[in-house]
Amino acid sequence: TTSAADKKILFLYGDKSNGMMVGYRDVVQSAIRSGSPDRITFYEEYMDLSQYPGEEYLSVLRSFYRQKYQGQRFDLIIAQAGSVLKFLTKYGEELFPGTPTVFGILEKSRMEELKLGPNITGVLVDAGFGATLEAALKMQPDVRNVVVVSGASEVDATHLAKARSQFRSFEGRVEFTY
């Protein structure tokens, strides 16, 4: 029989804590704890990457984590957002050498800009904006106007461009407002 070990897991969140992230954290932590005999300590960092997207801030964050976690070894890193994954592909091996990293859901198109190391894995999705609109039009065939609401971040702009591309086949059937 093997005895329980002490394990350390670092959650890296792209932005400030909110209800959605708290729910995400609670579900993931509960699943990990219930599936492991080990004693697990969770660490959390809210990186504010949307608020401070520049290279200068990333450099400050890198220095901060280098000092804060000097000598600390994690058994796993959970990257909550694509922006976190981007940070880790650039600085992860320096800050947390050899630490396995998992990410939740990442849009496949975002992979083009990332070079994942051998210790990084996760779930990729393909945002099916066109398929979603097709399903909506089947349920509501009288719809003639579609309003597409988007944020102003880099990720939002990427999603909006993908939605526009997928919606081209619907032009003439419905009118779009972006």
Side-chain angles (χ1 to χ4, degrees), residues 31-32 73 114 141:
I32 290 172
R73 299 278 308 166
L114 299 175

Side-chain angles (χ1 to χ4, degrees), residues 130-141:
T132 300
L133 181 56
E134 184 68 46
L137 292 174
K138 283 181 182 174
M139 291 186 288
Q140 298 289 324

Side-chain angles (χ1 to χ4, degrees), residues 9 41 61 152 154 157 167 169:
I9 297 177
T41 302
L61 208 53
E154 182 181 321
F167 292 162
S169 63

Side-chain angles (χ1 to χ4, degrees), residues 111-126:
M111 291 304 293
E112 297 164 4
E113 64 190 54
L114 299 175
K115 277 214 180 287
L116 301 183
N119 60 335
I120 299 176
T121 191
V123 177
L124 297 174
V125 296
D126 190 8

Side-chain angles (χ1 to χ4, degrees), residues 12-15 79-86 103-106 110:
L12 293 175
Y13 300 94
D15 292 298
Q80 173 272 332
S83 56
V84 174
L85 206 51
K86 188 174 180 180
F103 57 89
I105 297 175
L106 183 66
R110 305 258 341 254

Side-chain angles (χ1 to χ4, degrees), residues 20-33:
M20 182 182 75
M21 281 189 242
V22 170
Y24 170 78
R25 178 202 64 203
D26 291 348
V27 167
V28 172
Q29 285 185 5
S30 176
I32 290 172
R33 282 200 170 107

Side-chain angles (χ1 to χ4, degrees), residues 25-99:
R25 178 202 64 203
D26 291 348
V27 167
V28 172
Q29 285 185 5
S30 176
I32 290 172
R33 282 200 170 107
S34 68
S36 174
D38 298 321
R39 289 179 299 276
I40 301 170
T41 302
F42 291 96
Y43 297 77
E44 296 179 330
E45 293 289 344
Y46 295 90
M47 299 172 72
D48 297 328
L49 296 173
S50 292
Q51 190 172 358
Y52 306 103
E55 286 300 318
E56 188 176 327
Y57 177 72
L58 294 179
S59 180
V60 168
L61 208 53
R62 169 187 173 210
S63 297
F64 174 67
Y65 289 156
R66 185 185 312 128
Q67 183 173 2
K68 182 175 183 176
Y69 293 115
Q70 185 177 16
Q72 180 86 267
R73 299 278 308 166
F74 291 101
D75 296 287
L76 179 67
I77 295 173
I78 299 174
Q80 173 272 332
S83 56
V84 174
L85 206 51
K86 188 174 180 180
F87 176 85
L88 289 172
T89 58
K90 193 168 186 176
Y91 302 118
E93 213 33 55
E94 171 194 341
L95 297 171
F96 312 106
T99 305

